[in-house]
Amino acid sequence: MILTVTDRLRSLGAGVRWWFTPERVREEGTTPDYRFSLANERTFLAWLRTGLALIGGGFAVDQFLLRMHQGPRLAFTVVLLVGGALCAVRAVNHWVRCERAMRRGADLPVSRFPAALAVGVALLAAALVVLVATGRTR
């Protein structure tokens, strides 16, 4: 099934509406064991902490690596800040998707985001190692 851009935007809008109306989540299915809902919330908070750490890293790069060339410094800062924002958005989206799946008794949703984030952080670290090893941070 091929979705048009309009269909994708509608689907995205419907998904975002779930974020801001948690009472709608409770209307679906049956209440799962509270331990699972609380574990889902802890996972949500862990993703938020990850997002905040990335944002803090972005600010740190911008504020404390003043001797680094402007281009790489700006690139690292933007990548970290955008990564942090994506983690926060992903946190709430994943929380809603998991909560709805648990209420319906369905399998939990899968996501490529953790792998993409891990690869992104690894590439960023490798780039920083190269910059430090070549003395471009001075």
Side-chain angles (χ1 to χ4, degrees):
M1 183 171 129
I2 299 174
L3 295 176
T4 65
V5 173
T6 306
D7 292 338
R8 287 177 188 256
L9 288 175
R10 280 191 193 130
S11 175
L12 179 66
V16 170
R17 270 184 251 129
W18 284 102
W19 302 355
F20 298 104
T21 55
E23 64 276 2
R24 282 183 56 203
V25 174
R26 290 186 171 185
E27 294 171 359
E28 191 168 341
T30 59
T31 302
D33 187 333
Y34 289 114
R35 291 174 293 179
F36 300 130
S37 291
L38 294 173
N40 192 25
E41 282 188 25
R42 286 192 298 274
T43 304
F44 165 76
L45 293 172
W47 279 108
L48 278 183
R49 285 191 299 272
T50 302
L52 287 172
L54 290 171
I55 290 170
F59 278 118
V61 166
D62 185 55
Q63 295 297 312
F64 299 117
L65 296 180
L66 298 176
R67 287 183 276 165
M68 179 185 274
H69 190 269
Q70 178 70 19
R73 193 176 91 202
L74 180 62
F76 287 129
T77 299
V78 169
V79 166
L80 287 167
L81 292 175
V82 170
L86 288 175
C87 272
V89 170
R90 193 266 183 193
V92 69
N93 186 49
H94 193 70
W95 176 83
V96 167
R97 292 173 55 207
C98 286
E99 195 68 26
R100 290 180 65 203
M102 287 189 301
R103 297 188 71 84
R104 290 189 312 252
D107 289 338
L108 294 179
V110 294
S111 173
R112 294 184 188 119
F113 187 81
L117 180 64
V119 169
V121 169
L123 290 174
L124 198 64
L128 272 173
V129 166
V130 169
L131 288 175
V132 169
T134 59
R136 294 181 184 231
T137 57
R138 294 180 205 158

